[in-house]
CSV table of all heavy atoms in Angstrom, one decimal:
chain,number,residue,atom,x,y,z
S,203,ILE,N,66.8,-128.1,64.9
S,203,ILE,CA,65.4,-128.6,64.7
S,203,ILE,C,64.6,-128.5,66.0
S,203,ILE,O,63.5,-128.1,66.1
S,203,ILE,CB,65.4,-130.0,64.1
S,203,ILE,CG1,66.1,-129.9,62.7
S,203,ILE,CG2,64.0,-130.6,64.0
S,203,ILE,CD1,66.4,-131.3,62.1
S,207,ARG,N,60.7,-126.3,68.2
S,207,ARG,CA,59.6,-127.2,68.6
S,207,ARG,C,58.5,-126.5,69.3
S,207,ARG,O,57.3,-127.0,69.3
S,207,ARG,CB,60.1,-128.3,69.5
S,207,ARG,CG,60.7,-127.9,70.8
S,207,ARG,CD,61.3,-129.1,71.5
S,207,ARG,NE,60.3,-129.9,72.3
S,207,ARG,CZ,60.6,-130.9,73.1
S,207,ARG,NH1,61.9,-131.3,73.1
S,207,ARG,NH2,59.7,-131.5,73.8
S,210,LEU,N,55.1,-122.7,67.1
S,210,LEU,CA,53.7,-122.5,66.8
S,210,LEU,C,52.8,-122.4,68.0
S,210,LEU,O,51.6,-122.5,67.9
S,210,LEU,CB,53.3,-123.6,65.9
S,210,LEU,CG,54.0,-123.6,64.5
S,210,LEU,CD1,53.5,-124.8,63.7
S,210,LEU,CD2,53.9,-122.4,63.8
S,216,THR,N,53.9,-127.9,66.7
S,216,THR,CA,52.5,-127.7,66.3
S,216,THR,C,51.8,-126.7,67.1
S,216,THR,O,52.4,-126.0,67.9
S,216,THR,CB,51.7,-129.1,66.4
S,216,THR,OG1,50.5,-128.9,65.6
S,216,THR,CG2,51.4,-129.4,67.8
S,219,ASP,N,45.9,-126.3,68.7
S,219,ASP,CA,44.7,-127.0,68.2
S,219,ASP,C,45.2,-128.1,67.2
S,219,ASP,O,44.4,-128.6,66.4
S,219,ASP,CB,43.7,-126.1,67.6
S,219,ASP,CG,44.3,-125.2,66.5
S,219,ASP,OD1,45.5,-125.2,66.3
S,219,ASP,OD2,43.5,-124.4,65.9
S,228,PHE,N,59.6,-126.5,59.4
S,228,PHE,CA,59.6,-127.0,60.8
S,228,PHE,C,58.3,-127.3,61.3
S,228,PHE,O,57.9,-127.0,62.4
S,228,PHE,CB,60.4,-126.0,61.7
S,228,PHE,CG,61.8,-125.8,61.4
S,228,PHE,CD1,62.3,-124.7,60.7
S,228,PHE,CD2,62.7,-126.9,61.6
S,228,PHE,CE1,63.6,-124.5,60.4
S,228,PHE,CE2,64.1,-126.7,61.3
S,228,PHE,CZ,64.5,-125.6,60.7
S,283,ALA,N,50.3,-141.2,56.9
S,283,ALA,CA,50.6,-142.6,56.7
S,283,ALA,C,52.1,-142.8,56.5
S,283,ALA,O,52.8,-143.7,57.1
S,283,ALA,CB,49.8,-143.2,55.6
S,299,ALA,N,44.5,-150.0,58.9
S,299,ALA,CA,43.2,-149.4,58.5
S,299,ALA,C,43.4,-148.2,57.5
S,299,ALA,O,42.7,-148.1,56.6
S,299,ALA,CB,42.4,-149.0,59.7
S,303,HIS,N,42.3,-148.0,53.7
S,303,HIS,CA,41.5,-146.9,53.2
S,303,HIS,C,42.1,-146.3,51.9
S,303,HIS,O,41.4,-146.0,51.0
S,303,HIS,CB,41.5,-145.7,54.3
S,303,HIS,CG,40.9,-144.4,53.8
S,303,HIS,ND1,39.6,-144.2,53.5
S,303,HIS,CD2,41.6,-143.3,53.4
S,303,HIS,CE1,39.5,-143.0,53.0
S,303,HIS,NE2,40.7,-142.4,52.9
S,308,PRO,N,41.5,-145.0,45.5
S,308,PRO,CA,42.2,-144.3,44.4
S,308,PRO,C,41.3,-143.7,43.4
S,308,PRO,O,40.1,-144.1,43.3
S,308,PRO,CB,43.0,-145.4,43.8
S,308,PRO,CG,42.2,-146.6,44.0
S,308,PRO,CD,41.6,-146.5,45.4
S,315,ARG,N,43.6,-138.3,44.6
S,315,ARG,CA,43.2,-137.0,44.2
S,315,ARG,C,42.4,-136.3,45.3
S,315,ARG,O,41.4,-136.9,45.8
S,315,ARG,CB,42.4,-137.2,42.9
S,315,ARG,CG,41.9,-135.9,42.3
S,315,ARG,CD,41.2,-136.2,41.0
S,315,ARG,NE,40.7,-135.1,40.3
S,315,ARG,CZ,39.5,-134.6,40.3
S,315,ARG,NH1,38.6,-135.3,41.1
S,315,ARG,NH2,39.1,-133.6,39.6
S,335,THR,N,50.2,-139.0,45.7
S,335,THR,CA,50.3,-140.4,45.2
S,335,THR,C,51.7,-140.9,45.5
S,335,THR,O,51.9,-142.0,46.0
S,335,THR,CB,50.1,-140.4,43.7
S,335,THR,OG1,48.7,-140.0,43.4
S,335,THR,CG2,50.3,-141.8,43.1
S,337,ASN,N,53.6,-139.9,47.9
S,337,ASN,CA,53.7,-140.0,49.4
S,337,ASN,C,53.0,-141.3,49.8
S,337,ASN,O,53.5,-142.0,50.7
S,337,ASN,CB,53.1,-138.9,50.1
S,337,ASN,CG,54.0,-137.6,50.1
S,337,ASN,OD1,55.2,-137.8,50.0
S,337,ASN,ND2,53.4,-136.5,50.2
S,365,TRP,N,55.6,-138.7,33.8
S,365,TRP,CA,56.9,-138.4,33.2
S,365,TRP,C,56.8,-138.1,31.7
S,365,TRP,O,57.6,-137.3,31.1
S,365,TRP,CB,57.9,-139.6,33.4
S,365,TRP,CG,59.2,-139.4,32.8
S,365,TRP,CD1,59.7,-139.9,31.6
S,365,TRP,CD2,60.3,-138.7,33.4
S,365,TRP,NE1,61.0,-139.5,31.4
S,365,TRP,CE2,61.4,-138.7,32.5
S,365,TRP,CE3,60.4,-138.0,34.6
S,365,TRP,CZ2,62.6,-138.1,32.8
S,365,TRP,CZ3,61.6,-137.3,34.8
S,365,TRP,CH2,62.7,-137.4,33.9
S,370,PRO,N,51.8,-129.5,34.3
S,370,PRO,CA,51.1,-129.6,35.6
S,370,PRO,C,49.8,-130.3,35.5
S,370,PRO,O,49.0,-129.9,34.6
S,370,PRO,CB,50.9,-128.1,35.9
S,370,PRO,CG,52.0,-127.4,35.1
S,370,PRO,CD,52.2,-128.2,33.9
S,379,GLY,N,58.7,-129.4,35.5
S,379,GLY,CA,59.5,-128.5,34.8
S,379,GLY,C,60.9,-128.4,35.3
S,379,GLY,O,61.5,-129.3,35.9
S,382,PHE,N,61.3,-129.2,39.1
S,382,PHE,CA,61.2,-130.7,39.4
S,382,PHE,C,62.5,-131.3,39.1
S,382,PHE,O,62.9,-132.2,39.8
S,382,PHE,CB,60.1,-131.3,38.5
S,382,PHE,CG,60.0,-132.8,38.6
S,382,PHE,CD1,59.2,-133.4,39.6
S,382,PHE,CD2,60.8,-133.6,37.8
S,382,PHE,CE1,59.2,-134.8,39.7
S,382,PHE,CE2,60.7,-135.0,37.9
S,382,PHE,CZ,59.9,-135.6,38.8
S,400,VAL,N,61.4,-143.2,45.4
S,400,VAL,CA,60.3,-144.0,45.8
S,400,VAL,C,60.0,-145.0,44.7
S,400,VAL,O,59.7,-146.2,45.1
S,400,VAL,CB,59.1,-143.1,46.0
S,400,VAL,CG1,57.8,-143.9,46.3
S,400,VAL,CG2,59.3,-142.2,47.2
S,401,LEU,N,60.0,-144.7,43.5
S,401,LEU,CA,59.6,-145.6,42.4
S,401,LEU,C,60.6,-146.8,42.3
S,401,LEU,O,60.3,-147.9,41.9
S,401,LEU,CB,59.5,-144.9,41.1
S,401,LEU,CG,58.3,-144.0,40.9
S,401,LEU,CD1,58.3,-143.4,39.5
S,401,LEU,CD2,57.0,-144.7,41.2
S,414,LEU,N,63.6,-145.4,33.8
S,414,LEU,CA,65.1,-145.3,33.6
S,414,LEU,C,65.5,-144.0,33.1
S,414,LEU,O,66.7,-143.6,33.3
S,414,LEU,CB,65.4,-146.5,32.6
S,414,LEU,CG,65.2,-147.9,33.1
S,414,LEU,CD1,65.4,-148.9,32.0
S,414,LEU,CD2,66.1,-148.1,34.3
S,435,SER,N,64.4,-125.6,51.1
S,435,SER,CA,63.8,-124.5,51.7
S,435,SER,C,64.8,-123.6,52.3
S,435,SER,O,65.8,-124.0,52.9
S,435,SER,CB,62.8,-125.0,52.8
S,435,SER,OG,62.4,-123.8,53.6
S,437,GLY,N,64.5,-121.9,54.8
S,437,GLY,CA,64.5,-122.0,56.2
S,437,GLY,C,65.5,-123.1,56.7
S,437,GLY,O,65.7,-123.2,58.0
S,454,THR,N,73.2,-139.1,49.8
S,454,THR,CA,73.8,-140.1,48.9
S,454,THR,C,73.5,-141.5,49.4
S,454,THR,O,73.5,-142.5,48.6
S,454,THR,CB,75.4,-139.8,48.9
S,454,THR,OG1,75.6,-138.5,48.4
S,454,THR,CG2,76.1,-140.8,48.0
Side-chain angles (χ1 to χ4, degrees):
I203 295 167
R207 61 189 274 183
L210 299 178
T216 193
D219 57 356
F228 294 105
H303 167 76
R315 180 175 182 264
T335 300
N337 284 333
W365 181 260
F382 175 89
V400 174
L401 290 182
L414 294 175
S435 169
T454 303

